[in-house]
Amino acid sequence: MSDWMPIAQEYDPLKAGSIDGTDEDPHDRAVWRAMLARYAPNRGVVGDPLLTLFVARLNPQTREEKLREVFSRYGDVRRLRLVRDLVTGLSKGYAFVEYREERALLRAHRDADGLLIDQHEVFVDYELERTLRGWIPRRLGGGLGGKKESGQLRFGGRDRPFRKPIHLPPVKSDAPAVPAAHREGKRDRRERSRSRERHWDSRARDRDHDRPRRWPDREAPRGWPESDRERDRDPREDRGKGRDRSK
């Protein structure tokens, strides 16, 4: 923990893909591509890398004249290069600004970050391709920063520095240690539970199959109680019966 720093001093794709720089396994394919890539800085780039700023998130309509006007406020600009597509000639949204003096570079690095240029909030940082050892560009799975929507966030830069690792103290337990051969994982417990359920289900089906089928007992038709019959009898029937007996 004594050598931990929020900004990367040397580029490592595996660490850059980790929120605190402590990952041991890559979490996306781009990190694998960056780890396997072999990249050398462009030798055709001229200028002093220690006096050069990287400016990103530019409006596609922003031109070199506008950038020179804005960054000249912090000092004398020696060279400015707006990166464009070789085929279409359209801006790729980032540029490099080289100053003549270091104090102008430091002033622009401090004050120009987050500046609004043509309705776009720009991002300003030092050039890393020629100054950060082991640098891998974004197109090869490396870089620093990135968008959340892409799912390929990179840490260790000014835009998204490393978070300090959290080291929890080891938890002491009085229970005896269980040998690795006798430990049961979640998957083993789940499989054993499923097999037990299948066993009991099969036993229940066999028991139901062997049991003879019985028709449900039908209820006997209910008749009128004697008291109700006597109560509902028509008295004229009794009179008729008595008259027949007299004859």
Side-chain angles (χ1 to χ4, degrees), residues 193-218:
S193 177
R194 290 176 180 174
S195 62
R196 186 185 297 115
E197 292 176 0
R198 290 194 295 267
H199 173 69
W200 285 108
D201 290 344
S202 62
R203 291 187 60 182
R205 286 195 300 268
D206 295 340
R207 185 170 58 251
D208 295 340
H209 181 73
D210 297 337
R211 181 184 301 171
R213 293 187 178 182
R214 298 179 180 178
W215 291 99
D217 297 334
R218 297 182 179 180

Side-chain angles (χ1 to χ4, degrees), residues 220-239:
R222 293 184 299 176
W224 290 92
E226 295 298 331
S227 59
D228 293 341
R229 289 182 179 179
E230 296 295 333
R231 187 181 62 232
D232 297 338
R233 179 183 299 172
D234 191 350
R236 290 178 294 180
E237 296 179 1
D238 296 336
R239 289 197 297 269

Side-chain angles (χ1 to χ4, degrees), residues 8-24:
Q9 302 300 307
E10 182 176 349
Y11 190 80
D12 184 348
L14 183 58
K15 292 183 177 180
S18 170
I19 191 173
D20 55 5
T22 60
D23 280 5
E24 297 181 356

Side-chain angles (χ1 to χ4, degrees), residues 71-103:
F71 285 92
S72 295
R73 304 171 187 172
Y74 307 103
D76 191 8
V77 175
R78 173 183 295 174
R79 190 177 288 104
L80 187 146
R81 180 170 64 96
L82 178 63
V83 180
R84 295 181 176 274
D85 188 272
L86 295 177
V87 178
T88 62
L90 299 178
S91 170
K92 287 190 174 183
Y94 62 96
F96 296 92
V97 181
E98 182 187 357
Y99 284 97
R100 295 184 181 276
E101 298 179 352
E102 184 179 3
R103 58 181 180 180

Side-chain angles (χ1 to χ4, degrees), residues 23-35:
D23 280 5
E24 297 181 356
D25 297 317
H27 71 279
D28 61 50
R29 295 181 180 179
V31 174
W32 275 114
R33 291 196 295 114
M35 294 172 62

Side-chain angles (χ1 to χ4, degrees), residues 34 37 40-41 44 47 106 125 137 150 152 155 165 184 214 232 240:
L106 298 177
D125 198 1
S150 66
Q152 297 180 4
F155 301 86
E184 185 180 26
R214 298 179 180 178
D232 297 338

